[in-house]
Every structure is written in structure tokens, then in C-alpha cells.
Amino acid sequence: MNFRELDLGETVLDFKEYTNGKYHKIYFFEPENFLMASAKENLNDIPNITYLPSGVGEKEDMLYFDAVGDLSGNFSDQGTEKVRVVAIDDVVEKAVTFIKMGIEGMELAALKGASRTILKYKPKMAISVYHKSTDMVDIEEFVLGIRKDYQIYLRHYTKGCADTVMYFI
């Protein structure tokens, strides 16, 4: 499999097109080395990206990760390797306008690690809510517990049970 087959960074390419390239900075988090290399190759023409070879969570930590070489890798108690996890609040120091998360069940923990950012900047967010049975309720309640002024939208993209995204605008 070559890097282009993974299409890693598709959201970044869509974002660049949607904004006509008018943005200040993109932070790209990826804990799996092979996928980070793929992203860098796929996005090599995109300016102002900071690549962070880590996952995102509630706080800085080392967690087990099942690195499988495709987009289905996830954190688990018996992962194939230990990877660094950071909190968005501890890494991103400037205004944030958009957060997109499809991080295989770590969405709520990552939002907890971004709570100051959410409170201060009210970024628009696209958060996957299908990895855990309680995600749809837990994520909505958590975000509204930080800021009650979000409008929430839900979109399901497939015929199956995957790919449901909650938008906070």
C-alpha cells in the first residue's frame, strides 16, 4: 500500500479549499509513524502545518496504541506500542477556529483536554460520535457544559452504523 492510497489528510485538503487557503495554521496530530509519514507526503504542498506525532487526550500521557498501518488504529489496554498523548490546551497557544476529531473513541478525552480552548475561542467542531454507544449523549453534554451557546447538528454519512458526526457551530 502506498501513502496516496490512504488519502490521509483529506480533511486538511478540503479545509484549504473551503477557506481558499486563508488560514493561519493547522495542527495535525497522528500517533502512528507510518500514517504521519503518509500525511506529510500527501500534504507536502500545504503551508503552515505543524505535525505533532502524538494522539490527543485529556492530559499528557503515554498510552498503548494498536498500530495497524491503516486508519483503524486505536488506543487499547493491550496495544502494539506506547505512544505519546497530549492535551490540545497544552499544545495549541493561539486562537482556534475549527476542530475536527475522528479519533477512534478518544473524542471525549480529547475534548476534555481542549476544554479551555473551547471555552475561550468557541471553535466550530466536527466530532465523530459513533465509536462508543454513549458518545452521542456524553459528547453533547460535555461540550454544552463548557459553552451553552453552540448550535448542534448531526449528520450520518453511511448506510451502516459508522460515520456519524456531531457539529458544534
Side-chain angles (χ1 to χ4, degrees):
M1 175 183 309
N2 69 39
F3 293 146
R4 296 271 179 210
E5 290 174 0
L6 288 172
D7 206 15
L8 196 63
E10 181 180 346
T11 301
V12 172
L13 295 171
D14 290 345
F15 178 77
K16 180 183 178 262
E17 184 177 323
Y18 180 76
T19 63
N20 293 318
K22 294 178 183 175
Y23 62 88
H24 293 287
K25 187 170 201 76
I26 294 171
Y27 291 89
F28 191 99
F29 296 89
E30 175 55 58
E32 196 167 340
N33 292 330
F34 175 78
L35 296 179
M36 180 60 85
S38 171
K40 286 179 178 180
E41 182 177 308
N42 289 343
L43 302 172
N44 66 355
D45 295 333
I46 308 296
N48 301 322
I49 297 180
T50 296
Y51 295 96
L52 296 150
S54 62
V56 287
E58 189 169 353
K59 61 183 178 10
E60 184 167 350
D61 204 350
M62 294 294 289
L63 299 177
Y64 284 103
F65 184 78
D66 283 320
V68 295
D70 64 24
L71 301 178
S72 65
N74 62 2
F75 289 92
S76 71
D77 293 336
Q78 295 88 23
T80 56
E81 60 188 68
K82 269 195 155 181
V83 298
R84 181 175 179 235
V85 174
V86 297
I88 290 172
D89 286 341
D90 296 338
V91 175
V92 179
E93 298 173 353
K94 299 199 181 223
V96 174
T97 57
F98 181 67
I99 295 174
K100 184 261 186 189
M101 290 182 189
I103 51 178
E104 306 305 315
M106 288 288 287
E107 288 84 2
L108 184 57
L111 288 167
K112 289 178 180 179
S115 58
R116 292 190 317 264
T117 299
I118 294 167
L119 179 63
K120 186 173 182 177
Y121 300 114
K122 192 190 176 198
K124 292 174 178 63
M125 297 188 289
I127 311 297
S128 293
V129 292
Y130 62 89
H131 293 104
K132 295 180 180 175
S133 62
T134 59
D135 274 351
M136 204 172 295
V137 172
D138 292 346
I139 288 172
E140 177 184 4
E141 286 179 353
F142 179 77
V143 172
L144 291 179
I146 298 171
R147 294 194 67 117
K148 296 191 184 327
D149 57 345
Y150 273 110
Q151 292 180 355
I152 300 171
Y153 300 90
L154 190 66
R155 182 166 182 196
H156 185 73
Y157 288 88
T158 64
K159 290 182 181 181
C161 62
D163 294 328
T164 302
V165 177
M166 188 171 285
Y167 294 91
F168 296 86
I169 308 296

